[in-house]
């Protein structure tokens, strides 16, 4: 049985959050003498604390009600807020799988939350048998599931099993969902009260520099995250950049299709190379490859000013390659052709 109030930290349930000047009066017209701003200039006003324009646009594009949307200073802020709302420091636990995105663990450590890492199986899928004993642990508050997963690139199949058998919070990180043809879990937040879905403007939407992350969840969970966030957590510049990127559907589609086309080309070219031992199927904008010696090949590429992500410490002899432009990918392949083991 899922009971939200039992999961939330007591101090957060009882928290009376900061009421900003823009909370108390949010109209656009008027003489604003309430927030000690400088009356002159372009960026002189505090931004909308609840990003209403951006949420309204997102709501239409994503088919999720505005009350079910939270916008953060990147997904990394969303991850931090999940810990702060649900996990008592020094007491509660979180769980994720390995290999996966490193920030779930770092953020757990920052928040003094015990972090359990369960290995994915040989197909990089959830091992339900090894997960099951943890699902009844009352101190376990949050499970992070990244799908498509970073750095492996594949979609995880047993998310529904986790949602149904765990009465804590399940965060599904969809940073790479744009590159995959499956429907988003954001369409299931009404069916699963314990589900939080994360997306970001940093990957397919091309705004890594702007720091805009999204969470979709029940309106109760969204209210708790709003209570805990800093009042003006997304700058006016970043809200505007996200809104512009969201409205630019043609550019988004064109870039996404080009990246997907380049991913296929890159897979074909990589498969012809001797030093490449295995190419893992990807539903994202990167490819994980197993090579003869990841450390040596990584350094060889760096010496030719090509920077990839050496994942040798998490998946033996594996390198994660982001799909670049046609020209960048061609240069990568040409340099790799020169590599002699
Ligand atoms: C890149 C990435 C993010 C994005 O984080 P931002 O803080 O929004 O830039 C989130 N999750 C995963 C798994 C990622 O790879």
């Amino acid at each position: 049985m899922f009971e939200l109030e039992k999961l939330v930290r007591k101090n957060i349930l009882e928290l009376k959050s900061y009421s900003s000047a823009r909370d108390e009066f949010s109209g656009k017209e008027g003489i604003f003498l309430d927030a000690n701003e400088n009356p002159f200039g372009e960026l002189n006003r505090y931004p909308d604390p609840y990003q209403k324009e951006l949420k309204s646009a997102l709501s239409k594009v994503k088919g999720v009600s505005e009350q079910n949307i939270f916008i953060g200073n990147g997904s990394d802020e969303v991850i931090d807020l999940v810990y702060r709302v649900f996990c008592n420091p020094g007491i509660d636990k979180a769980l994720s799988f390995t290999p996966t995105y490193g920030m779930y663990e770092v953020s757990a450590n920052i928040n003094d939350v015990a972090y359990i890492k369960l290995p994915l199986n040989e197909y990089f899928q959830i091992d339900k048998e090894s997960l099951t004993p943890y699902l009844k642990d009352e101190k376990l508050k949050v499970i992070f599931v990244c799908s498509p997963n970073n750095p492996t690139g594949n979609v995880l199949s047993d998310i529904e099993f986790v949602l149904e058998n765990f009465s804590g919070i399940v965060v599904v990180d969809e940073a790479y969902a744009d590159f995959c043809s499956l429907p988003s879990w954001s369409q299931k937040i009404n069916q699963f009260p314990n589900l939080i879905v994360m997306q970001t403007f940093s990957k397919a939407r091309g705004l890594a520099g702007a720091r805009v992350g999204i969470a979709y969840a029940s309106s109760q969970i969204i209210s708790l995250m709003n209570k805990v966030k800093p009042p003006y957590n997304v700058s006016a510049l970043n809200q505007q950049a996200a809104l512009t990127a969201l409205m630019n559907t043609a550019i988004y589609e064109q870039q996404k299709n080009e990246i997907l086309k380049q991913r296929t080309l890159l897979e074909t070219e990589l498969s012809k190379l001797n030093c490449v031992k295995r190419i893992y199927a990807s539903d994202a904008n990167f490819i994980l490859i197993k090579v003869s010696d990841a450390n040596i090949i990584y350094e060889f590429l760096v010496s030719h000013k090509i920077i990839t992500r050496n994942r040798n410490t998490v998946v033996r002899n594996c390198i994660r390659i982001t799909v670049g432009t046609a020209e960048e990918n061609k240069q990568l392949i040409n340099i790799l052709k020169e590599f002699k083991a």
Side-chain angles (χ1 to χ4, degrees):
M1 247 290 281
F2 178 76
E3 287 177 82
L4 184 63
E5 295 220 338
K6 274 176 74 179
L7 280 180
V8 179
R9 290 168 66 197
K10 194 160 166 287
N11 64 312
I12 302 300
L13 270 182
E14 291 168 357
L15 178 72
K16 184 161 176 357
S17 59
Y18 177 72
S19 178
S20 72
R22 290 295 177 270
D23 273 326
E24 286 169 14
F25 183 89
S26 63
K28 276 197 169 169
E29 301 294 316
I31 297 173
F32 288 98
L33 307 176
D34 57 347
N36 299 345
E37 297 149 335
N38 182 329
F40 308 107
E42 294 281 320
L43 274 172
N44 56 326
R45 299 294 176 191
Y46 280 106
D48 174 1
Y50 299 109
Q51 310 97 15
K52 287 189 210 66
E53 236 185 311
L54 180 53
K55 277 184 194 167
S56 158
L58 263 174
S59 171
K60 291 190 188 86
V61 173
K62 303 284 183 170
V64 177
S65 305
E66 286 168 55
Q67 57 172 11
N68 298 115
I69 305 176
F70 174 88
I71 299 178
N73 183 17
S75 310
D76 293 338
E77 183 183 42
V78 176
I79 297 168
D80 179 65
L81 289 176
V82 169
Y83 284 121
R84 290 209 261 161
V85 168
F86 294 104
C87 299
N88 292 292
I91 297 172
D92 289 328
K93 305 174 195 171
L95 180 148
S96 191
F97 302 92
T98 186
T100 195
Y101 185 47
M103 271 311 287
Y104 314 136
E105 182 172 11
V106 173
S107 198
N109 292 340
I110 291 168
N111 286 289
D112 195 14
V113 175
Y115 188 76
I116 301 157
K117 271 199 281 200
L118 282 186
L120 292 168
N121 70 19
E122 60 173 316
Y123 307 106
F124 296 139
Q125 291 292 340
I126 295 171
D127 178 356
K128 287 189 275 186
E129 226 170 285
S130 71
L131 173 64
T132 301
Y134 292 97
L135 298 176
K136 299 293 165 219
D137 181 348
E138 299 227 323
K139 296 272 183 284
L140 180 63
K141 296 291 187 73
V142 185
I143 296 178
F144 287 92
V145 182
C146 186
S147 181
N149 188 37
N150 179 3
T152 58
N154 61 301
V155 167
L156 299 200
S157 7
D158 288 310
I159 296 176
E160 188 137 350
F161 170 85
V162 183
L163 283 164
E164 278 175 349
N165 292 286
F166 181 54
S167 47
I169 298 294
V170 180
V171 178
V172 177
D173 186 346
E174 293 189 333
Y176 301 99
D178 306 70
F179 303 105
C180 136
S181 49
L182 293 176
S184 165
W185 283 91
S186 63
Q187 301 308 305
K188 303 263 189 180
I189 51 170
N190 295 323
Q191 187 181 332
F192 297 107
N194 57 338
L195 171 62
I196 301 177
V197 179
M198 291 203 310
Q199 293 181 351
T200 179
F201 278 82
S202 296
K203 306 287 157 59
R205 295 278 172 185
L207 284 188
R211 317 305 305 125
V212 185
I214 313 162
Y216 306 101
S218 72
S219 57
Q220 291 87 340
I221 292 177
I222 298 298
S223 301
L224 289 162
M225 295 178 74
N226 279 330
K227 240 171 131 175
V228 176
K229 79 178 183 76
Y232 304 112
N233 62 325
V234 184
S235 78
L237 286 171
N238 295 349
Q239 290 186 39
Q240 188 51 55
L243 190 61
T244 304
L246 194 64
M247 296 295 99
N248 254 328
T249 315
I251 290 183
Y252 163 75
E253 290 294 338
Q254 184 264 321
Q255 291 179 349
K256 186 179 74 176
N257 291 334
E258 175 63 14
I259 290 167
L260 290 176
K261 185 178 127 194
Q262 288 300 321
R263 185 179 78 193
T264 306
L265 268 165
L266 203 49
E267 283 166 345
T268 308
E269 290 305 312
L270 285 166
S271 69
K272 297 177 189 163
L273 300 172
N274 273 335
C275 62
V276 176
K277 302 301 172 197
R278 182 161 180 188
I279 300 166
Y280 293 93
S282 172
D283 273 308
N285 66 334
F286 57 82
I287 304 171
L288 188 74
I289 59 170
K290 192 174 275 286
V291 291
S292 44
D293 188 316
N295 293 342
I296 291 175
I297 290 177
Y298 170 78
E299 289 300 340
F300 172 78
L301 288 171
V302 168
S303 71
H304 289 86
K305 295 196 164 55
I306 294 178
I307 321 303
T308 59
R309 190 91 157 116
N310 183 359
R311 297 283 77 191
N312 181 47
T313 53
V314 282
V315 198
R316 190 141 169 72
N317 278 329
C318 282
I319 289 177
R320 191 191 70 195
I321 300 170
T322 307
V323 178
T325 63
E327 181 55 33
E328 289 169 338
N329 302 334
K330 198 160 79 193
Q331 288 198 37
L332 166 79
I333 295 296
N334 286 341
I335 298 296
L336 277 176
K337 278 180 184 162
E338 284 174 26
F339 178 78
K340 300 278 178 288

